[in-house]
Amino acid sequence: MPSPDIDLTATTDASRTDHWKVEGIWRGPQGSARDVRHFRGSRSHVERVLTRLEGKGRLLRRLSLQPA
């Protein structure tokens, strides 16, 4: 059984980045705060996830999206 922190869907193509660092204003149980969170997947996948989180009110403002 593979280790849970091995991403089996990650591509081996060096031209694609599958780890992204997102800085933004996030809403949590204690209110909103500026924070950096990490996501895995293609850029288009991460963009879709962030759009969904913005729609749910979890991500109040996206400040940057950079390869990690």
Side-chain angles (χ1 to χ4, degrees):
M1 183 171 190
S3 173
D5 39 34
I6 295 175
D7 184 5
L8 298 176
T9 62
T11 181
T12 57
D13 182 2
S15 67
R16 291 184 56 186
T17 302
D18 68 335
H19 189 190
W20 298 90
K21 180 172 68 172
V22 180
E23 183 177 2
I25 308 296
W26 299 87
R27 176 172 290 159
Q30 286 80 29
S32 59
R34 184 176 182 150
D35 194 12
V36 175
R37 300 201 181 170
H38 296 264
F39 293 87
R40 286 199 165 281
S42 67
R43 183 178 180 106
S44 62
H45 169 74
V46 172
E47 291 278 354
R48 285 193 307 271
V49 169
L50 295 175
T51 300
R52 183 172 52 95
L53 291 173
E54 287 169 334
K56 293 171 98 177
R58 296 287 312 276
L59 175 59
L60 301 178
R61 185 167 180 210
R62 190 183 323 177
L63 302 175
S64 71
L65 172 63
Q66 302 171 352

